[in-house]
Amino acid sequence: MEECISVFDMLKIGVGPSSSHTLGPWRAAERFLSELKSETLLNRVTRVKVDLYGSLSLTGKGHATDLALMLGLSGQDPEYIPIQDIAGIIKKIEDTNEINLGNQNKIPFYFLQDIVFNKNFLSFHANGLKFTAFYDNDKEYCATFYSIGGGFVVKEERINAKNKSEIKRKFPFPIQNAEELLNYTIQENKSISEIVFENEKSMRTETEIDHELIRIWKTMLECMYIGCHSEGILPGGLNVRRRAFDMHQGLIGLANYSNPQEWLEEIRKTEVKFRQILKWVSCFALAVNEVNAALGRVVTAPTNGSAGVIPAVLMYYLVIENHQAGEKEIKQFLMVAGEIGSIFKKGSTISAAMGGCQAEIGVSSAMAAAALVEVMGGTPDQVLMAAEIAMEHHLGLTCDPIGGLVQIPCIERNTMGAIKAINAAELAMETDAKNAKVPLDKVIDTMWQTAKDMNSKYKETSEGGLAIAVNMSDC
């Protein structure tokens, strides 16, 4: 089914550590509450049970799926909840064995019994979850959702997708694949970001688009800032020490600043030899994903596990490549990145549970490479070529998180994805795209075929690869 996917669908503000295992279930809980309200059942509910299936069950503990469900059922919003309040809300539910459903109906809730981890998979998608509300003594209201990656949540009947298909019909430039996008840029003599902007205006005012894009960037910048100034051990039991703090200390020196924007300006003054550039880009990516692993606020880009690539590459552009760049270039970058991500989602997947890590780090690297080429003055076909190069060299990348945590190898993979994105952008800029042998759409098709052929134990189940080669006890 062809449906509209906005830039703001691909770049969502939320809480870590996982878009499919944390943000998705959280949003599913919100949708379940909405259904209960529409059926006038919310205040009649006496008990709620949640069944998790497949990948959500196998790595849900490590991805805080159970915590996300409790927060969602409590009526909390992942985009706006104060991060410092999360631990207290969870502790109160666990201590009292009670949850305030939708923030208006207190009911008994025993999280060890009422959140059930079932290892079997539902047929529609690897990330399934079923909510059951009990009311009026012996009655039940059930709803099954699927967290399909990037914080997207669907039902098997795809009612919302049908609505989005209607919205897409109003787009001046409906896009399903890279070839269509390129044809529009040629036909209209516009850049990719200009085409995307016209489509976005079908859903929002120009002021709203500008405001939301900058809000996304400020969230990314704050996330990098927090990560670079936080030290200690990440939660989860692997005893992973934060590295961005020490790396940042060695790079920033004795600079004086008091907020993220001043920090950005100070970085522009630092030494920019090749090794320092590699370190800065890696530091930015590490910072984001360490915040993500600690249940901090990040932007899915296109997922939480790959949230560090796009901020790192955009920050690289701002502090290394173009010191004069500002909001105009930031908005261009994010619009192009979002559109490339949506093309991958339409043609393949952005879910590691479906496609392995190629669907997360690979896609984020392609998004960042494409966006970087546009802001550096590349042509639309060079933009698409950069995305193709970046993905081509992530094909087949598996997802094998140790202990089901988005820490090893996930955090480091963001640094690699960011560096590959910059390299892909440079290659594309130095190439006549007319000589390209592999179009982006072919790579997306190949990625999807690779995903379907990949053994399930390498798809975010922690049943293969590093996840079993390295035990929690080894860490």
Side-chain angles (χ1 to χ4, degrees):
M1 177 185 295
E2 294 191 9
E3 58 185 275
C4 81
I5 299 178
S6 167
V7 168
F8 304 108
D9 291 324
M10 298 306 303
L11 305 174
K12 300 185 185 79
I13 298 172
V15 174
S18 170
S19 52
S20 59
H21 286 56
T22 316
L23 182 59
W26 195 327
R27 291 301 190 194
E30 289 183 318
R31 283 184 59 177
F32 183 60
L33 290 178
S34 179
E35 290 187 15
L36 292 176
K37 288 177 182 176
S38 67
E39 298 289 334
T40 64
L41 294 175
L42 184 61
N43 291 317
R44 294 157 61 188
V45 173
T46 55
R47 183 188 163 215
V48 168
K49 176 188 172 190
V50 188
D51 284 279
L52 302 173
Y53 297 92
S55 179
L56 282 183
S57 173
L58 291 165
T59 60
K61 284 285 186 182
H63 289 76
T65 303
D66 48 352
L67 307 188
L69 288 167
M70 287 189 272
L71 292 164
L73 290 171
S74 299
Q76 303 296 327
D77 187 328
E79 194 167 339
Y80 296 102
I81 183 176
I83 298 300
Q84 66 273 15
D85 291 353
I86 290 177
I89 295 170
I90 296 297
K91 188 174 187 305
K92 185 176 181 180
I93 294 170
E94 293 177 348
D95 288 349
T96 63
N97 293 320
E98 187 177 74
I99 195 166
N100 192 6
L101 194 65
N103 202 31
Q104 65 182 71
N105 178 17
K106 289 186 179 180
I107 61 172
F109 188 83
Y110 301 88
F111 72 99
L112 293 176
Q113 301 170 26
D114 293 332
I115 300 176
V116 183
F117 292 81
N118 304 282
K119 291 188 177 181
N120 56 304
F121 286 70
L122 300 181
S123 59
F124 184 75
H125 191 278
N127 292 332
L129 65 166
K130 177 184 177 183
F131 294 85
T132 303
F134 301 87
Y135 67 100
D136 294 353
N137 297 321
D138 60 348
K139 295 181 180 178
E140 298 179 6
Y141 180 88
C142 300
T144 300
F145 299 90
Y146 298 89
S147 179
I148 61 173
F152 288 87
V153 176
V154 300
K155 282 189 156 186
E156 195 164 349
E157 56 269 30
R158 302 300 306 274
I159 294 172
N160 284 352
K162 293 170 186 173
N163 295 335
K164 285 196 168 189
S165 183
E166 290 297 320
I167 295 171
K168 186 176 179 180
R169 291 195 181 97
K170 299 177 182 177
F171 277 15
F173 307 110
I175 298 161
Q176 190 67 19
N177 54 47
E179 183 180 8
E180 289 180 356
L181 174 59
L182 182 60
N183 287 340
Y184 285 132
T185 64
I186 296 168
Q187 170 188 309
E188 302 294 323
N189 192 28
K190 291 180 182 291
S191 67
I192 288 177
S193 62
E194 288 172 327
I195 294 293
V196 176
F197 188 58
E198 291 302 314
N199 282 343
E200 290 294 331
K201 287 196 295 184
S202 299
M203 297 175 283
R204 297 171 179 84
T205 67
E206 292 186 22
T207 300
E208 288 172 334
I209 295 167
D210 290 347
H211 176 268
E212 286 304 300
L213 287 171
I214 295 305
R215 188 167 75 96
I216 285 168
W217 164 243
K218 286 182 177 179
T219 302
M220 289 179 171
L221 178 60
E222 182 179 42
C223 186
M224 286 184 280
Y225 184 82
I226 290 170
C228 284
H229 295 84
S230 301
E231 55 183 330
I233 305 297
L234 293 172
L238 287 179
N239 295 316
V240 173
R241 178 179 171 81
R242 289 178 182 257
R243 286 182 285 175
F245 179 86
D246 291 332
M247 187 178 288
H248 175 257
Q249 289 286 91
L251 289 165
I252 197 67
L254 300 175
N256 290 314
Y257 52 87
S258 60
N259 59 59
Q261 187 58 41
E262 289 179 5
W263 175 61
L264 185 154
E265 297 296 341
E266 287 299 315
I267 296 172
R268 284 175 165 169
K269 301 174 186 176
T270 61
E271 189 174 38
V272 289
K273 292 180 181 177
F274 181 67
R275 285 186 67 196
Q276 279 71 32
I277 293 172
L278 286 177
K279 287 180 180 179
W280 270 121
V281 174
S282 296
C283 182
F284 298 145
L286 286 174
V288 171
N289 286 85
E290 286 173 355
V291 169
N292 179 62
L295 276 74
R297 180 162 284 115
V298 299
V299 177
T300 64
T303 67
N304 282 34
S306 59
V309 176
I310 286 171
V313 175
L314 178 48
M315 190 70 161
Y316 157 81
Y317 175 72
L318 295 172
V319 300
I320 305 294
E321 281 294 327
N322 185 359
H323 288 193
Q324 307 309 311
E327 290 191 357
K328 174 179 174 290
E329 291 79 9
I330 290 167
K331 289 183 284 190
Q332 269 184 278
F333 191 103
L334 294 176
M335 283 191 286
V336 173
E339 185 60 41
I340 296 300
S342 77
I343 291 173
F344 272 96
K345 186 178 185 302
K346 292 166 187 170
S348 184
T349 181
I350 58 169
S351 167
M354 291 294 286
C357 201
Q358 62 175 354
E360 297 201 17
I361 293 296
V363 173
S364 64
S365 186
M367 292 166 68
L372 183 58
V373 168
E374 166 139 336
V375 294
M376 291 199 302
T379 62
D381 49 1
Q382 287 176 322
V383 169
L384 299 180
M385 185 180 188
E388 180 276 317
I389 293 170
M391 173 49 76
E392 185 177 329
H393 302 289
H394 281 94
L395 287 173
L397 185 62
T398 61
C399 181
D400 48 358
I402 297 171
L405 297 162
V406 189
Q407 295 181 20
I408 304 173
C410 319
I411 295 174
E412 282 185 358
R413 279 186 181 166
N414 279 263
T415 72
M416 301 300 161
I419 297 299
K420 280 187 181 181
I422 295 168
N423 196 8
E426 291 295 342
L427 286 171
M429 291 286 288
E430 294 299 323
T431 303
D432 184 345
K434 294 183 179 64
N435 297 325
K437 304 299 182 186
V438 184
L440 177 57
D441 288 327
K442 290 292 184 184
V443 166
I444 294 173
D445 289 343
T446 302
M447 176 194 155
W448 182 228
Q449 291 303 317
T450 304
K452 289 189 287 187
D453 291 340
M454 188 181 290
N455 191 300
S456 63
K457 67 184 181 181
Y458 300 115
K459 295 182 182 181
E460 206 172 9
T461 59
S462 287
E463 295 181 317
L466 287 174
I468 61 169
V470 181
N471 296 316
M472 292 282 282
S473 57
D474 295 326
C475 299

